Amino acid sequence: MRRVPGSYAVLSIAVCLTACSGTGSASPDDASADDGPVPSQALSEVENIVENKDVPEEQLVYFQDGKVTLQEYQEAYGAFVTSPDQSDGTELKDCYHRWFAHTEMAFQTSDPAVLAGEPAEQMKFFDENLRPCLEHIEVAVPDDLEYQDENWGPLMDEAVRALQNGRCVGA
């Protein structure tokens, strides 16, 4: 099985930051590989999520055909952002898990368009959002950091902890 350590964390952070700001809902016209063949590795990732994770009932509908399309991803995101009380971080986390987490993981690990641009997008998100946070809390971030190198996972973990603990305020 292909593992993408830290990748889910970046995406989760992006979703939570977007949900808290009330922006970021995508248009159904956004380009993606909704139609057409899905690579067998991508199907196995989606099947693995369904088999090995306790997928909440609210998300099972998106897994019925063995893939998560952009439209399904957007529907799940819409359900998530309209469900939590934005002022309560605990409720936000619970709602994310209930309405969106598994669908997001399946989409991000199986959609060909996402996978094609993942390294560049992940690095851009990291440099714009997480690097300033880590530097703010005085965590050394190598200038030559590359997506998925040996420093990636530990830095992602530290950034997630810092964001969850509110240490990135003012970054």
Side-chain angles (χ1 to χ4, degrees):
M1 177 177 91
R2 179 179 161 266
R3 283 295 209 190
V4 186
S7 180
Y8 303 141
V10 171
L11 298 167
S12 298
I13 292 166
V15 169
C16 288
L17 291 174
T18 302
C20 290
S21 68
T23 62
S25 58
S27 163
D29 297 328
D30 288 350
S32 181
D34 278 355
D35 300 314
V38 176
S40 61
Q41 180 180 359
L43 284 176
S44 65
E45 287 292 329
V46 173
E47 292 166 356
N48 183 50
I49 290 168
V50 173
E51 290 174 11
N52 297 318
K53 307 284 185 200
D54 187 20
V55 178
E57 184 177 326
E58 292 83 357
Q59 296 176 62
L60 286 175
V61 66
Y62 306 121
F63 293 87
Q64 290 178 348
D65 63 357
K67 68 178 184 175
V68 175
T69 65
L70 176 61
Q71 181 176 353
E72 292 167 332
Y73 175 80
Q74 291 171 333
E75 287 173 15
Y77 179 76
F80 161 62
V81 297
T82 59
S83 64
D85 174 354
Q86 304 289 317
S87 63
D88 182 355
T90 302
E91 184 176 337
L92 182 65
K93 181 179 176 184
D94 292 344
C95 288
Y96 172 72
H97 176 78
R98 178 177 176 189
W99 295 97
F100 191 55
H102 295 86
T103 303
E104 179 184 34
M105 185 184 310
F107 182 76
Q108 299 294 343
T109 60
S110 66
D111 183 77
V114 171
L115 294 173
E118 183 173 359
E121 290 299 315
Q122 294 290 337
M123 284 305 304
K124 180 180 178 189
F125 180 83
F126 181 89
D127 287 337
E128 291 176 357
N129 299 285
L130 303 180
R131 183 182 295 270
C133 167
L134 291 169
E135 290 172 350
H136 176 75
I137 62 170
E138 299 180 357
V139 172
V141 179
D143 291 334
D144 62 348
L145 178 70
E146 292 185 26
Y147 177 69
Q148 298 289 325
D149 74 8
E150 67 276 359
N151 296 308
W152 182 261
L155 288 169
M156 293 303 304
D157 292 344
E158 183 62 32
V160 169
R161 283 190 300 273
L163 286 165
Q164 290 173 337
N165 296 331
R167 294 183 290 149
C168 291
V169 176

